[in-house]
Structures are given as structure tokens and as C-alpha cells.
Amino acid sequence: MSHLMHRNLRQPLATAVRAEGIYIYDAEGRAYIDACGGAAVSCLGHGHPRIREAILRQLDTIAYAHTSFFTTEAAERLADRLVADAPPGIGHAIILNGGSEAVETALKMARQYHVERGEPQRDVVIARRQSYHGNTLGALATGGNEGRRRTFRPLLIETRHIGPCFAYRHMRPGESEADYAARAARELEDEILSVGPDRVIAFVAETVVGATAGAVPPVGDYFKRIRAICDRFGVLLILDEVMSGMGRTGTLHACEQEGIAPDIEVIGKGLGAGYEPVSAVLVADRVYEAFANGSGAFSHGHTYMGHPVAAAAALAVQEAIAEDDLLAAVRRRGDHLRRTLEARFGNSPHVGDIRGRGLFLGLELVQDRGSCEPFDPSLQLHARLKQTALRKGLMIYPSGGTIDGTRGDHILLAPPFILTEDQSDEIVRRLEETIDEVIRAL
Ligand SMILES: Cc1ncc(COP(=O)(O)O)c(C=O)c1O
């Protein structure tokens, strides 16, 4: 009998006892290909010697010092590295533990920024439907997935939500990507005007939407327009790259491909590659300066922020990515995986869309590719896919509610950057067997 209260109280879990490269092994000796890095976390695979050494070295030096008393070399070096590699205008970093905590930090930073500048009336955050920003209350309120919010709605701060930039579901027949990008971005302007421009704190968006929509990239100049709208109304742009950042899409930051830089960026997951719990908030100079020229302090902190062991691990991850040229590998291996997926599923009646960037790919499942009609949510297709894939020794990250929080199913793939072509082909083979078996049994 387990004394751990697991996420699902009815679903027994295998015990993971060992992991190496792209494989996790359970106590029965079964091997699982980690084709999703857990939840887009394990970007270097498992058991990377360099990260292990960096953690041990840091433990032998100093494991912990509270950040209200000391700084540490490990945290300073990670911040130097993050800033050196950051989008233009970013000059500082706050190091935290998880994605939700970092999103909370970003929200509070944005609010205090306006207070420091003498605009305390700004009290509204705008985000997007079908986004996920974390499970703590502020982050959950910001997220736009109704399925995840429903139970907790009475506890959530009021947040405005506009539509996502989601071409497969929302681009109209005959509409160009450019026109759709303009229409989707205009929703932000309309919402700011409806709230009152002097009341809006920030707009929060995942650069490439991950868990709730399945690797949905923006189209056209959507983010350039969003950046311009934010600037026009003095609204801060917070990009949540907890899932899509740190190399996953083939560039270190997903927003590099959009040609824009945020005021505040949130990163996590791949930052520590699963070796330590670590996330960060990257802060643009103009935001930092409001604090520096104002009260001189950010009213926020956590016991384990700036943790030296986590920082040492994250720095080693960044060094491994650079030295092994893994961003180029993500682009190359991402192209291969995508081409293989397209070859296998491009004409499948039940795979309506294959999308994403780099090694961050999504497949949306439909009853019929012509009508794009989703499966009945009561079938829980995504849960069946996950269980069947696991039986076949394949870890994938499916989810339901892709379209509106209730309808739609997708599968997210986010394998380690060290994936070989043979391993990639094996993932697609097992995935095809999984989808066939699940759909045949409906
Ligand atoms: C885009 C995004 N933001 C925030 C989070 C929350 O991160 P965490 O689960 O580490 O709190 C996630 C987690 O999936 C995420 O995908």
C-alpha cells in the first residue's frame, strides 16, 4: 500500500528504477522510450554524466544559502549565462524552482512594475484560451483551459481571455495566414480597449502552445503585431516558454523565430532537463529599471529560489547544449521526425493535423480528416492512447480538450535532443501501432 497520494488515485503506476539515454526502466525490467521527456522536460535524456558531475561538485561546495543573506557563484553564473543567451533587452534573471512558481513571479513582477511607475490602477491581466500556465492559483487563473479551471473557478482571480492563434481550428476557409494572424492579434487590441487601456497590466502567451493544445505554433506576423499592440498601450508582454523554450523548438528561445523579445519571459522544464527542479524569470532592462529607480525591491521571494545545486545543474545543461551543438540537432532530428510522422499519418483518416517546431510536435486526432470532427470526449481517447502506448513501451503526452477544454484530443511528442534517427523511427512505429489499436477498439 502506497502512502503517496498520487495524481490519479485509481490508476496504478509502475515504479521507475533506472534511466539511461532516452529510456526509463521499471521495477519489472520493462523499458520505455521517453518520447515526451515526461512533460517536455528531459531534453538531454537520462543519466547525462556531465550534469551528474556538476551537481556533485556543487554539493561538495555549498548546497544551500538563503537568498536574503547571500548570493552564490552558481546562481550568478547561471544568471550570466541566461542573460548572455537571452532575447535582446533582457538583462536579469530570477532563478526559481518550477514553472508555476515562475509564472506567479512574472505576474507579480508585472503588477509591481506598474505600481513603481505610478500606475497602480492597472489591475487586469489578459491571456488566451487553450493555454496552460501552471497549476497554482494565479497561473491557473491565467491559463485558458476550462477543463483545468472548472473546479477551482471560485478561487481564481478574474483574468480576461482572448482566442489563441490556432490555424488548424480557427483559420477560416480561404483566409490567408497573414489575414488570420492580423485577425487573431486584433482580438488583443479589442480586449485592451474594452477593459480600458489604462487598466491592463500584461498580456501572457505561450509562444508555441504546449500541453493544452498540442504544439500549436503562431502563424504569420502574429507576435510582431502582439508586440506592437502591447507597446502602444504600455502593456507588458509576458511570454511563457516553460515548455517551448530552452531549445525545444530548435532555437534557444521560441520567440527568436518570431523576431520579437518579451518584457518578461518564463522558462523551466528543459532548463534543468529534469536533473534538478529549476525555472527562471528573465527580466527586460526597462522592467528592471522601474524597480531600480523606484522602491529598489521586488516584494516577492521563495525559500528555495536561486538554489545553488539547481543552478549548477541548469548551467551544465546549457553548456552541454552548446558544446554538443544540440540546437542544430533539434532542427535536424525534428525535421526527420516530422517527415516520418507525415509519411505515416499524412493520409490517416484519424490524424487531422501534424504541427509544431523542432522536437516539439503535436498530432491532433479526429473522427474524420475531412470534417475535422473530434472524437466524443466521453471516449477519453487521450487516456486510452497514453495507456496503450505505455503497454508498448512508449511514453507520449496526450491530452483532451484540445479545441475548447472539453472537445478534441492530441498527442504531444517532445523527445530528448539526443535522439537518433533509429530511435525516432521506432517512436513513430510504436505510435502507429498505438493509434491503430486504440481506434480499432472504439
Ligand atoms: C507553458 C507552461 N507554463 C507553465 C507550466 C507549469 O510548470 P510546472 O508544472 O513546473 O509548475 C507548464 C507545465 O506544463 C507549462 O507547460
Side-chain angles (χ1 to χ4, degrees):
M1 215 271 277
S2 171
H3 292 104
L4 268 179
M5 184 162 169
H6 294 285
R7 286 170 180 246
N8 185 324
L9 277 50
R10 300 212 171 90
Q11 185 94 58
L13 293 171
T15 304
V17 292
R18 188 168 71 81
E20 196 180 338
I22 71 158
Y23 294 95
I24 292 186
Y25 300 87
D26 73 13
E28 311 287 311
R30 276 188 294 263
Y32 303 82
I33 299 181
D34 188 356
C36 53
V41 174
S42 302
C43 60
L44 296 184
H46 302 271
H48 198 294
R50 179 181 192 133
I51 319 305
R52 178 181 177 276
E53 277 156 32
I55 291 171
L56 292 179
R57 218 177 311 122
Q58 187 60 43
L59 280 174
D60 286 341
T61 318
I62 180 166
Y64 179 73
H66 194 277
T67 48
S68 71
F69 295 89
F70 297 102
T71 187
T72 58
E73 204 185 311
E76 294 289 346
R77 286 184 61 210
L78 177 61
D80 290 347
R81 178 73 187 232
L82 293 178
V83 166
D85 293 343
I90 301 282
H92 290 82
I94 299 182
I95 297 160
L96 298 138
N97 303 273
S100 305
E101 188 183 285
V103 168
E104 300 288 341
T105 304
L107 293 171
K108 288 178 69 183
M109 178 180 289
R111 162 71 190 162
Q112 194 181 332
Y113 162 84
H114 292 296
V115 173
E116 297 285 350
R117 288 165 41 94
E119 291 194 84
Q121 81 289 349
R122 288 194 187 250
D123 59 355
V124 175
V125 168
I126 303 175
R128 300 190 298 181
R129 292 189 287 279
Q130 288 316 100
S131 59
Y132 181 61
H133 298 295
N135 261 332
T136 51
L137 292 174
L140 192 63
T142 308
N145 180 286
E146 268 320 300
R148 298 189 194 224
R149 290 164 54 96
R150 201 166 292 128
T151 308
F152 305 99
R153 199 176 293 134
L155 305 182
L156 302 181
I157 47 172
E158 198 200 326
T159 305
R160 301 293 190 104
H161 291 98
I162 62 167
C165 183
F166 189 171
Y168 177 61
R169 285 290 167 192
H170 299 298
M171 200 162 94
R172 294 175 183 148
E175 191 175 37
S176 70
E177 284 197 344
D179 287 348
Y180 172 55
R183 179 165 65 84
R186 208 175 311 120
E187 279 195 45
L188 176 60
E189 181 165 357
D190 293 346
E191 193 64 29
I192 292 174
L193 292 172
S194 126
V195 171
D198 62 337
R199 283 193 53 204
V200 181
I201 295 173
F203 175 60
V204 186
E206 288 171 83
T207 315
V208 177
V209 185
T212 47
V216 177
V219 295
D221 61 355
Y222 174 79
F223 269 113
K224 285 212 171 92
R225 288 174 177 273
I226 291 287
R227 178 71 270 181
I229 294 166
C230 287
D231 288 344
R232 191 159 358 116
F233 295 108
V235 170
L236 292 182
L237 175 59
I238 301 177
L239 288 183
D240 180 346
E241 294 209 0
V242 167
M243 207 179 240
S244 59
M246 304 323 282
R248 178 69 36 215
T249 63
T251 47
L252 195 61
H253 300 273
C255 62
E256 289 171 45
Q257 294 173 53
E258 301 310 307
I260 57 143
D263 300 303
I264 300 175
E265 184 179 327
V266 187
I267 53 176
K269 297 197 188 263
L271 174 62
Y275 291 87
E276 283 288 330
V278 60
S279 62
V281 172
L282 306 178
V283 188
D285 292 332
R286 72 189 186 100
V287 175
Y288 180 86
E289 277 153 23
F291 287 78
N293 300 330
S295 69
F298 178 27
S299 306
H300 188 70
H302 292 283
T303 300
Y304 282 118
M305 69 193 291
H307 197 280
V309 181
L315 181 61
V317 171
Q318 303 321 300
E319 288 168 351
I321 289 176
E323 278 168 29
D324 298 341
D325 203 12
L326 290 179
L327 294 180
V330 169
R331 294 192 286 272
R332 208 170 47 245
R333 289 160 188 165
D335 280 351
H336 177 82
L337 178 56
R338 193 188 184 115
R339 273 200 312 274
T340 325
L341 289 169
E342 278 163 359
R344 294 279 176 112
F345 300 112
N347 294 314
S348 157
H350 301 302
V351 177
D353 193 29
I354 300 169
R355 55 186 177 235
R357 286 191 184 156
L359 281 173
F360 194 39
L361 296 171
L363 288 81
E364 188 166 333
L365 294 140
V366 288
Q367 278 198 55
D368 172 65
R369 124 187 304 266
S371 68
C372 308
E373 188 60 27
F375 283 94
D376 182 342
S378 69
L379 293 172
Q380 293 277 296
L381 187 73
H382 56 96
R384 294 177 192 228
L385 288 163
K386 185 171 177 182
Q387 285 314 314
T388 306
L390 262 187
R391 260 196 288 107
K392 294 180 183 299
L394 180 67
M395 291 165 60
I396 54 176
Y397 195 47
S399 205
T402 315
I403 303 170
D404 55 10
T406 306
R407 293 178 317 131
D409 298 271
H410 66 262
I411 294 171
L412 190 66
L413 298 177
F417 302 171
I418 55 161
L419 186 76
T420 66
E421 288 200 355
D422 284 350
Q423 291 168 339
S424 172
D425 295 347
E426 182 59 19
I427 290 172
V428 177
R429 202 184 58 72
R430 292 189 199 189
L431 186 61
E432 188 176 25
E433 276 182 24
T434 301
I435 294 176
D436 282 354
E437 191 174 312
V438 168
I439 289 183
R440 230 180 303 118
L442 286 178

